[in-house]
Amino acid sequence: QVQLVEAGGGLVQAGGSLRLSCAASGRTLSSYTIGWFRQAPGKERKFVAGIVISGYADYADSVKGRFTISKDNAMSTVYLQMNSLKPEDTAVYYCAARRDYGVSHLTASYDYWGQGTQVTVSS
């Protein structure tokens, strides 16, 4: 069992930045592919970005050029740097881990989920 803990959410004005972090309690994430997803009220959970141990990263079209996913060397923590935030980025952001190698955009592909952290962007 992998327990994921997200941190870094909050309230920010449009155009601002936030950095989210995802860590696993008591272990590294190096054996997993890590994805960030988000869910706005009344909408389905959607892929935002993902990263594998090699550093290869993939992004949803809606965040390309604004968000950056990264990891520390040991992949003990994965980050999501969010710049040029827009009101439509407002959502609960979830970190997820999958045992299989490779970034997937599908929620069903991920085996473990964090509790989520709220990001609110005001206009």
Side-chain angles (χ1 to χ4, degrees):
Q1 187 74 5
V2 177
Q3 292 185 322
L4 301 173
V5 179
E6 303 100 334
L11 173 64
V12 64
Q13 288 189 331
S17 298
L18 282 174
R19 188 175 80 157
L20 306 183
S21 64
C22 172
S25 178
R27 63 191 298 168
T28 72
L29 300 170
S30 58
S31 299
Y32 302 90
T33 296
I34 302 301
W36 282 98
F37 288 75
R38 65 187 181 186
Q39 188 167 19
K43 297 190 176 181
E44 64 181 9
R45 193 170 296 187
K46 291 186 176 180
F47 173 80
V48 175
I51 193 167
V52 297
I53 185 63
S54 67
Y56 171 81
D58 190 20
Y59 299 90
D61 288 343
S62 59
V63 306
K64 280 181 182 176
R66 299 189 299 123
F67 290 12
T68 303
I69 189 170
S70 63
K71 59 180 182 67
D72 59 19
N73 286 339
M75 201 159 169
S76 60
T77 305
V78 173
Y79 303 95
L80 185 67
Q81 178 67 43
M82 305 186 296
N83 298 328
S84 301
L85 282 161
K86 305 175 181 180
E88 51 264 43
D89 295 318
T90 295
V92 177
Y93 283 71
Y94 296 90
C95 173
R98 67 189 299 248
R99 291 185 293 265
D100 290 340
Y101 187 84
V103 177
S104 172
H105 291 210
L106 303 177
T107 57
S109 298
Y110 290 79
D111 303 295
Y112 307 102
W113 291 85
Q115 299 276 27
T117 185
Q118 177 70 47
V119 171
T120 302
V121 184
S122 63
S123 57

